[in-house]
Amino acid sequence: MTLFPEMCEAVLSESIIGRAREKGCVDIRCVNIRDFTADKHNRVDDAPYGGGMGMLMQTQPIYDCYRSLYAETEEKPHLIYLSPQGKTLTQSRVKELSALPRVVLLCGHYEGVDERVLEEIVDEEISVGDYVLTGGELPALVLMDAICRMLPGVLPNDEAKELESHYNSLLEYPQYTRPPVWHGREVPEVLLSGHHGNIARWRREQSLLRTKLRRPELLETAELTKQDKAFLETLQTEGESDG
Ligand code: 4FL
């Protein structure tokens, strides 16, 4: 539910999501809230009671838009309002949302939305980070991108499994492609060795090292093997240096 369906449609027609929609892995519609206004001048916003700057989205167009979507199914669709006041999105919430049969996303605009329609229809508020944007469209697109990647048939099977694997709680290891030397910088030798065991171990250690240096709090909840822990111990004694 948005005032800018073309903006959303442009993003949702490209790349992984575009192909997922074509294949029928997911059904996404961008619905224009303005199409539901009862105002003869097509207005969807008005000045706030109590005064102050800017305009607010009114209750009626949003509610009628929502009712028309609800009318398509027996069950009430889960309604998410993208807002800086929401809970910050995590991969684990993305995974849970990807299991729901139907989700409706409400994108706010102007200076906000009349609180009463939010109280009436919103099931969950989600933020994509502590910064303010022009509207909820970009956060909604972020959420849809993340959800689509979790749906069956969207990613090649091995990539989908990697999303699930123990790597998902650690940062990615560095990656390289041709040429082997660029601006005097060499690709790490182990990657050219063809030794799959050593390569897997090196990548795991690079993930651990990066996570330790850049996002140490992620290690608290990561699933670590004895070997992982032993590696992290050696970092403590040697002092911290990247790469
Ligand atoms: C929504 C920011 C979700 C971050 C303005 C309107 C926002 C946002 N996460 N800013 N909506």
Side-chain angles (χ1 to χ4, degrees), residues 1-114:
M1 298 166 57
T2 172
L3 291 173
F4 299 92
E6 296 90 359
M7 166 188 173
C8 299
E9 192 58 55
V11 174
L12 297 169
S13 304
E14 301 279 348
S15 187
I16 303 259
I17 304 187
R19 279 192 294 278
R21 293 171 82 194
E22 280 169 12
K23 284 199 282 178
C25 299
V26 61
D27 179 16
I28 304 176
R29 266 184 298 151
C30 306
V31 181
N32 194 343
I33 295 166
R34 197 178 297 277
D35 291 346
F36 293 86
T37 183
D39 179 80
K40 61 177 184 287
H41 298 109
N42 267 351
R43 305 273 317 247
V44 291
D45 63 324
D46 207 338
Y49 281 118
M53 291 213 314
M55 302 292 267
L56 295 180
M57 287 170 75
Q58 291 175 284
T59 56
Q60 178 274 319
I62 291 173
Y63 187 67
D64 288 359
C65 183
Y66 164 75
R67 290 303 309 187
S68 87
L69 295 172
Y70 190 168
E72 294 171 359
T73 49
E74 316 236 297
E75 218 185 323
K76 184 196 181 302
H78 187 68
L79 194 134
I80 298 172
Y81 175 49
L82 288 306
S83 129
Q85 276 111 57
K87 250 192 166 177
T88 307
L89 187 63
T90 62
Q91 189 64 30
S92 91
R93 189 64 193 139
V94 167
K95 189 178 175 180
E96 289 167 357
L97 292 172
S98 73
L100 298 179
R102 195 170 189 226
V103 173
V104 175
L105 307 182
L106 171 61
C107 305
H109 239 271
Y110 307 114
E111 314 319 301
V113 177
D114 187 311

Side-chain angles (χ1 to χ4, degrees), residues 180-225:
V181 184
W182 181 80
H183 285 206
R185 298 170 186 272
E186 293 178 10
V187 172
E189 207 175 302
V190 62
L191 299 177
L192 310 174
S193 70
H195 191 300
H196 298 299
N198 288 351
I199 291 170
R201 194 62 224 157
W202 182 86
R203 286 177 166 167
R204 182 70 181 172
E205 289 178 0
Q206 289 292 312
S207 282
L208 291 164
L209 179 62
R210 288 203 154 175
T211 308
K212 167 97 181 154
L213 293 175
R214 301 182 191 187
R215 298 288 307 279
E217 77 280 9
L218 295 181
L219 290 174
E220 307 294 316
T221 48
E223 268 183 58
L224 301 175
T225 65

Side-chain angles (χ1 to χ4, degrees), residues 82-84 108-110 126-137 139:
L82 288 306
S83 129
H109 239 271
Y110 307 114
I126 291 181
S127 164
V128 298
D130 287 334
Y131 38 81
V132 179
L133 299 166
T134 309
E137 282 76 13

Side-chain angles (χ1 to χ4, degrees), residues 231-241:
F231 174 74
L232 289 167
E233 292 289 324
T234 67
L235 297 178
Q236 230 119 58
T237 53
E238 285 170 24
E240 290 177 4
S241 66

